[in-house]
Amino acid sequence: MQPIQITTVQALRRSLGLIIKAAPIELRNLILLNIIRGAAPSAVLFLNKLIIDEVSRLLSQTQTAQPLALMLSQPMLLWSIAGVLILKLVGDSIDTMSSFTVTSLRDRLQGAVEGKVLEKVANFDDIALFENPELLNIVELAKTGVSRIQQLAFTISMTITGIFIFIPSVSLAAAIAWWVPPVILLSSIPSIYIERKYTKLIWRVQKKQAKITREMNLSARVLTGEEYAKELRLFGLQELWLKRWQGQFVQFFSEMQAIRKKGAIIVLLWSILSRIGVALPFVYVVIGALGGRYTLGDLALYSGLIVQVENSLELLINNYTNLYDIALGVSPIFQLLDMKPELQSPLGDVASRLPSLPDGGQDARATGQLLGHGQDARATGQLLSHGQDDHPTGQLLGHGQDARATGQLLGHGQDARATKHKIGIEIKHLSFCYPGSTKNTVTDINLTINPGEMLVFVGENGAGKTTLGKLLGRLYDPSEGTIAWNGKDLRSYSLSYVRSRIAYVMQDYARFPSTVRENVGFGDLLSLSDDTAINQAISESGISAKVNSLDKGLETPLGKQLEDGIDLSGGQWQRIAIARALMRLSTAEVLIFDEPTAALDPKTEHEIYSIFRQIAVGKTTIVISHRLGLAKIADRIAVMENGKIVEIGTHDKLIAAKGIYYSMFTRQASSYI
């Protein structure tokens, strides 16, 4: 997944398109205001010339003790003075209105562009965006690019002002002599070229420094983030991390400063040439006034025009440089927006690709087959209630019904009728290499997981278990080989369908800064307002006592960052994550538990295992763990090492084989003796 290169012209064109779409009224008003603001200075200069010439004429003709009466008797003088005053008032009003319009345009742009960036990142199906340093750099640069588009709106307005100052100024300056505008223009070209060159160099350094900027932000997060606050203080790490941040800043600043310093010196040297280009017409006008070719009004007009042409050129040059700088800065936004995930949903009718459910393909909720606002009609009461006797065989159901009496369970709690249509998973020659890496994390995996089976992947950290879980949940696609559901390649199903049929509980589960209701209800947005379904999921996850003790119940904010928010223990947050997964139990066909108890105490771990046994009834269940407490009750155990499956079988079979699993199990068991 390589980002597409965006040229500066493309970036500017697309940025203008965003501005026009996000704030068309503000942009129109800004253009009109700046046309007036740009034309006003030349008009003021011309009126000042008339005033000076008229006053000079009157003084040369007569002496009067009543200057006010004399002024009132001269219509041209009065109209010229009135025109200057009106233009000054209009200019002040335009400044106020422009400031308001620019602010409104800037805010609208920020909302529109930042919204597009957030939408793109949030809906990007491929999680490589969050695990690949090169792509993370694009995201970081795109965030800073949002402010650049705001600058673009201001720069455009100033460019329009510069153009409408420049055009009338040059037209009037040509009246001095035909060669005046070309001399001023030609003397300014070297400065334009040099500034553009060093703007590009600065951007290259800035682009290269995206990594340092990201690391600075990470260091700042360690210094200010709640998750690091306690250990940062307990271990006295503040000074270390402050020095690390300062070192990163110095590295960032020194590289940028070196380029800026070199560029400033060269631009300054070339600016001397442009000053000579302005000085020549100015000297020419002064000599002309002394020689009688120009009046005092002409001297004031032409002197002002030369300065105005210079100022407008400087404004245009600076804005051109800014436009170029902005175009470079906003390019990552469009690189991000154009980026395509490697994970793709298939084309065509998604519904025709869906595997059939027990009721013939329809969601039990849609056909009214859910019982009790959240019970799975397919399971028909087979989940254990809290406090009921959990027989060693795992065969006790619902409200005390014994599976042995009804003959409905097989093995470790599999429902014979439900498993008939359940998803079977077939893995063939599966290999995977993370983007940017050259080494496979998993290699040539071949495995069949039967419908309704509980399979536990065990192995040391780094064996490839979590990667395999990501592939089974289609967070990545294989580099080689296939994963099939019910005989169909997983890639032939839509991503939304696959993920809607998976209940995933992971070690680094999300702790959303929101209410209890939302933290649980996010598992099934359609049931977010269904108190009965949410409370049932909370009860089945074993956290109802805690939730019921809260003053605001389901509406309690979780997270100390929120007003009146509370925090939970690790085990309680774990149960909230499980409750969230339970919300989609009626539609989930595959359950994936990735290191779900790694951070829990033995008592809580045992309770979580009991919950897992209950919710796994009739589901194809994959457990990923380096702790073996749950492995004993699994249908099969797959032992992974160096990205490969090296042993597979039941607990008893693997113990009898006295291989890797036997060594792992006896080593862990000795820790509890």
Side-chain angles (χ1 to χ4, degrees):
M1 189 192 326
Q2 292 295 324
I4 299 171
Q5 295 303 312
I6 304 291
T7 67
T8 53
V9 174
Q10 290 173 326
L12 275 178
R13 179 177 54 79
R14 293 179 66 175
S15 297
L16 286 171
L18 283 177
I19 295 173
I20 293 169
K21 187 174 181 180
I25 296 174
E26 287 83 354
L27 183 61
R28 181 201 64 196
N29 293 342
L30 195 61
I31 290 172
L32 292 174
L33 290 171
N34 282 288
I35 287 173
I36 298 171
R37 183 175 13 188
S42 294
V44 169
L45 282 175
F46 182 74
L47 291 174
N48 281 334
K49 165 194 158 41
L50 295 180
I51 292 170
I52 293 171
D53 283 344
E54 192 67 9
V55 170
S56 298
R57 183 183 65 80
L58 292 172
L59 288 174
S60 65
Q61 291 178 355
T62 181
Q63 294 277 340
T64 178
Q66 297 180 327
L68 178 61
L70 180 62
M71 182 184 72
L72 293 175
S73 66
Q74 303 297 319
M76 180 177 289
L77 182 60
L78 285 175
W79 281 112
S80 298
I81 293 171
V84 170
L85 293 175
I86 290 170
L87 286 172
K88 292 288 186 184
L89 289 172
V90 169
D92 292 340
S93 301
I94 286 175
D95 286 341
T96 302
M97 289 187 288
S98 293
S99 177
F100 169 78
T101 305
V102 167
T103 303
S104 299
L105 189 147
R106 182 193 63 205
D107 292 344
R108 284 188 185 276
L109 265 180
Q110 180 174 0
V113 179
E114 193 170 346
K116 282 182 175 292
V117 170
L118 291 174
E119 181 182 6
K120 179 68 177 186
V121 174
N123 292 321
F124 202 81
D125 291 314
D126 199 329
I127 63 170
L129 186 65
F130 307 97
E131 298 181 346
N132 184 313
E134 182 182 356
L135 300 184
L136 282 172
N137 289 344
I138 294 291
V139 174
E140 184 68 35
L141 289 168
K143 290 177 183 177
T144 61
V146 172
S147 62
R148 295 293 184 92
I149 286 192
Q150 293 176 328
Q151 293 174 16
L152 177 61
F154 179 74
T155 302
I156 288 172
S157 70
M158 295 307 296
T159 301
I160 293 169
T161 301
I163 290 171
F164 281 91
I165 292 175
F166 178 75
I167 291 173
S169 299
V170 168
S171 300
L172 289 172
I176 303 172
W178 67 267
W179 53 265
V180 172
V183 166
I184 296 175
L185 285 171
L186 289 172
S187 64
S188 302
I189 289 175
S191 295
I192 297 174
Y193 172 76
I194 294 298
E195 288 208 30
R196 174 178 173 174
K197 176 183 176 181
Y198 278 93
T199 297
K200 194 169 185 177
L201 286 175
I202 288 171
W203 167 247
R204 285 177 181 171
V205 173
Q206 191 173 355
K207 189 175 181 181
K208 186 180 73 174
Q209 288 184 325
K211 172 180 174 290
I212 300 174
T213 303
R214 193 160 45 82
E215 290 174 353
M216 282 174 59
N217 292 336
L218 289 172
S219 297
R221 181 180 170 187
V222 170
L223 288 164
T224 60
E226 179 190 5
E227 63 267 42
Y228 304 101
K230 293 187 285 293
E231 292 187 65
L232 194 74
R233 285 154 179 78
L234 287 171
F235 294 109
L237 303 175
Q238 300 96 318
E239 192 66 24
L240 184 151
W241 279 98
L242 277 170
K243 286 182 178 179
R244 181 169 296 179
W245 182 88
Q246 289 165 352
Q248 291 160 345
F249 175 78
V250 168
Q251 182 182 353
F252 170 84
F253 178 78
S254 59
E255 290 185 22
M256 291 293 290
Q257 192 71 352
I259 293 292
R260 288 171 181 152
K261 185 177 180 180
K262 184 178 178 181
I265 292 171
I266 294 178
V267 169
L268 180 62
L269 292 174
W270 280 106
S271 295
I272 295 173
L273 176 63
S274 62
R275 287 289 175 268
I276 294 172
V278 171
L280 288 175
F282 186 77
V283 171
Y284 178 80
V285 171
V286 172
I287 294 173
L290 292 173
R293 291 197 309 274
Y294 301 124
T295 66
L296 290 176
D298 290 335
L299 178 61
L301 171 63
Y302 295 148
S303 299
L305 284 174
I306 291 168
V307 173
Q308 196 161 282
V309 169
E310 180 193 15
N311 290 339
S312 63
L313 266 177
E314 186 176 345
L315 189 62
L316 290 172
I317 291 169
N318 288 338
N319 284 327
Y320 170 79
T321 304
N322 289 339
L323 284 173
Y324 188 74
D325 183 43
I326 289 167
L328 293 171
V330 301
S331 296
I333 293 177
F334 302 110
Q335 285 183 299
L336 177 64
L337 295 179
D338 290 346
M339 202 178 293
K340 302 293 184 185
E342 292 184 359
L343 289 173
Q344 297 289 333
S345 287
L347 300 175
D349 183 8
V350 173
S352 66
R353 301 174 181 269
L354 307 185
S356 59
L357 297 178
D359 57 6
Q362 299 176 5
D363 189 334
R365 291 173 297 177
T367 56
Q369 295 179 3
L370 282 185
L371 305 177
H373 297 282
Q375 298 176 7
D376 189 344
R378 292 171 290 180
T380 60
Q382 293 175 10
L383 288 183
L384 285 163
S385 300
H386 291 288
Q388 295 177 0
D389 183 10
D390 180 14
H391 285 197
T393 58
Q395 295 174 349
L396 193 62
L397 301 180
H399 300 285
Q401 299 174 12
D402 192 340
R404 290 169 293 186
T406 60
Q408 291 178 357
L409 287 189
L410 300 175
H412 292 284
Q414 300 170 22
D415 186 340
R417 294 177 300 178
T419 58
K420 181 179 179 181
H421 298 285
K422 291 292 183 180
I423 290 178
I425 300 174
E426 189 174 9
I427 304 171
K428 293 183 178 180
H429 302 293
L430 179 71
S431 296
F432 179 73
C433 178
Y434 280 101
S437 176
T438 57
K439 183 180 179 182
N440 282 344
T441 306
V442 294
T443 304
D444 199 26
I445 301 289
N446 290 278
L447 178 67
T448 297
I449 305 172
N450 299 315
E453 180 180 25
M454 177 185 283
L455 178 67
V456 177
F457 288 98
V458 301
E460 303 296 341
N461 291 334
K465 307 183 301 296
T466 294
T467 298
L468 189 54
K470 291 177 181 178
L471 293 166
L472 290 169
R474 209 178 169 211
L475 294 174
Y476 283 104
D477 280 337
S479 303
E480 297 177 27
T482 59
I483 300 173
W485 280 14
N486 285 351
K488 292 184 180 180
D489 193 315
L490 195 60
R491 289 168 289 197
S492 69
Y493 302 121
S494 70
L495 281 170
S496 59
Y497 172 78
V498 169
R499 291 172 182 175
S500 72
R501 290 301 188 266
I502 295 176
Y504 211 131
V505 180
M506 54 192 73
Q507 181 181 2
D508 54 344
Y509 48 83
R511 304 184 182 194
F512 292 105
S514 57
T515 62
V516 174
R517 172 189 300 280
E518 290 178 328
N519 264 283
V520 176
F522 284 161
D524 180 10
L525 290 176
L526 294 176
S527 300
L528 195 58
S529 301
D530 190 340
D531 287 9
T532 305
I534 291 174
N535 282 322
Q536 181 171 335
I538 288 171
S539 175
E540 289 169 351
S541 66
I543 190 76
S544 56
K546 175 63 179 178
V547 173
N548 292 335
S549 71
L550 302 174
D551 292 339
K552 296 183 180 179
L554 295 179
E555 309 310 323
T556 303
L558 297 182
K560 290 183 178 179
Q561 308 97 323
L562 301 177
E563 186 175 355
D564 298 326
I566 67 161
D567 204 0
L568 301 176
S569 68
Q572 289 168 339
W573 272 112
Q574 180 89 59
R575 292 175 188 272
I576 290 290
I578 293 170
R580 186 160 56 240
L582 284 171
M583 288 297 293
R584 62 169 57 188
L585 192 62
S586 62
T587 57
E589 307 257 352
V590 176
L591 310 181
I592 301 177
F593 305 135
D594 184 3
E595 298 284 8
T597 62
L600 303 180
D601 60 81
K603 178 178 179 295
T604 305
E605 182 180 15
H606 177 73
E607 292 171 354
I608 298 297
Y609 285 164
S610 298
I611 295 169
F612 287 163
R613 285 198 297 269
Q614 296 165 31
I615 66 178
V617 172
K619 307 289 184 181
T620 302
T621 305
I622 297 150
V623 181
I624 298 163
S625 181
H626 66 276
R627 292 167 66 165
L628 308 181
L630 192 59
K632 292 176 65 176
I633 58 98
D635 293 293
R636 282 190 300 161
I637 302 159
V639 183
M640 293 193 68
E641 188 174 69
N642 297 324
K644 296 182 178 181
I645 295 177
V646 293
E647 293 180 354
I648 189 165
T650 63
H651 170 76
D652 292 339
K653 179 181 176 181
L654 294 178
I655 288 292
K658 293 192 175 182
I660 296 174
Y661 178 79
Y662 172 81
S663 299
M664 291 175 60
F665 189 85
T666 53
R667 186 168 64 246
Q668 287 192 19
S670 66
S671 301
Y672 294 94
I673 297 176

